[in-house]
Amino acid sequence: AQSVTQPDIHITVSEGASLELRCNYSYGATPYLFWYVQSPGQGLQLLLKYFSGDTLVQGIKGFEAEFKRSQSSFNLRKPSVHWSDAAEYFCAVPTGANNLFFGTGTRLTVIP
Amino acid sequence: DTEVTQTPKHLVMGMTNKKSLKCEQHMGHRAMYWYKQKAKKPPELMFVYSYEKLSINESVPSRFSPECPNSSLLNLHLHALQPEDSALYLCASSQWGSGAVNEQFFGPGTRLTVL
């Protein structure tokens, strides 16, 4: 079965610094991969998704992610973090017809 | 309209109460979902409806009873809940298709507290 792991439970970055959140997937073929963001007490919003083709995917809010088959990774990046980016970030992969398996999440804290 | 709405935002109920959570979308999506999310955990899938029919029940206790009256509405009826059922309940919708390649749109959730 497909799954994803997020090794970092909590990351703290300074405002304006760059950000990289890690996601590793487990699947033999090319997976579909998603990054979602959840602000405190809110629902989830899709940041970006990868299906095939260009391995560098652009998303909303200035985020991008790169699919690396050799490393089984789909890391999320942002060149300059804003205080409003503080949230929980989930990597996700489909596990069947319309099912999503979410990673355990990475909580991002942004300090001034 | 790309919004999924959920009511109420907050709900406090006793273990003997009966209550319902409501979810609505007007994006023409034919798949709707209920998730349960405990604090500091990822969402866990509870139910999936496709074309108003229950297609997935992830072994959820019968004290949770979903209902899909039409293609825009999804309810979750609650009865005889336990304190451990306190959580954020998220509704989502998507187009229905194979491979789960469709983006799921999430509502803001209902924060449920069971006393």
Side-chain angles (χ1 to χ4, degrees):
Chain A
Q2 300 181 76
S3 68
V4 289
T5 56
Q6 295 180 247
D8 304 305
I9 296 174
H10 184 203
I11 284 183
T12 300
V13 299
S14 298
E15 191 167 16
S18 63
L19 171 70
E20 182 168 27
L21 302 181
R22 296 185 291 167
C23 172
N24 297 107
Y25 67 88
S26 171
Y27 189 60
T30 299
Y32 300 118
L33 291 159
F34 302 83
W35 273 103
Y36 280 85
V37 61
Q38 185 177 30
S39 296
Q42 299 298 312
L44 282 75
Q45 182 182 23
L46 181 70
L47 285 175
L48 46 80
K49 57 189 177 185
Y50 173 76
F51 292 163
S52 64
D54 194 345
T55 56
L56 185 62
V57 181
Q58 300 298 319
I60 63 171
K61 305 187 181 193
F63 286 92
E64 66 178 27
E66 187 170 12
F67 174 73
K68 292 186 177 180
R69 183 188 302 279
S70 61
Q71 299 177 18
S72 297
S73 69
F74 187 57
N75 294 348
L76 183 71
R77 301 195 296 243
K78 187 169 185 178
S80 178
V81 169
H82 188 262
W83 64 266
S84 60
D85 293 323
E88 189 86 20
Y89 291 81
F90 293 99
C91 184
V93 64
T95 60
N98 283 65
N99 290 11
L100 272 181
F101 177 90
F102 289 92
T104 51
T106 298
R107 182 161 58 96
L108 174 65
T109 298
V110 180
I111 56 176
Chain B
D1 183 3
T2 58
E3 189 180 20
V4 176
T5 58
Q6 290 187 245
T7 56
K9 281 191 171 184
H10 301 274
L11 179 62
V12 179
M13 60 186 291
M15 289 189 285
T16 59
N17 292 157
K18 282 186 180 181
K19 297 288 184 182
S20 297
L21 309 184
K22 297 186 183 303
C23 173
E24 188 167 5
Q25 58 89 13
H26 295 287
M27 293 177 277
H29 291 164
R30 302 313 294 271
M32 296 187 76
Y33 312 76
W34 280 115
Y35 289 87
K36 174 182 178 180
Q37 186 178 27
K38 301 285 278 185
K40 301 186 188 303
K41 297 291 186 183
E44 296 177 357
L45 184 66
M46 300 174 72
F47 303 104
V48 181
Y49 272 82
S50 64
Y51 291 88
E52 296 90 70
K53 294 193 187 316
L54 184 64
S55 62
I56 295 174
N57 176 342
E58 291 287 353
S59 304
V60 179
S62 59
R63 58 186 184 268
F64 295 91
S65 175
E67 178 197 19
C68 191
N70 60 54
S71 60
S72 299
L73 293 174
L74 185 66
N75 298 323
L76 186 62
H77 302 297
L78 315 172
H79 174 53
L81 295 193
Q82 304 296 310
E84 59 265 29
D85 296 321
S86 299
L88 182 68
Y89 287 84
L90 295 164
C91 174
S93 71
S94 75
Q95 296 177 10
W96 180 260
S98 62
V101 300
N102 299 305
E103 174 183 354
Q104 292 188 22
F105 291 79
F106 284 81
T110 293
R111 176 74 60 189
L112 174 67
T113 303
V114 182
L115 301 176

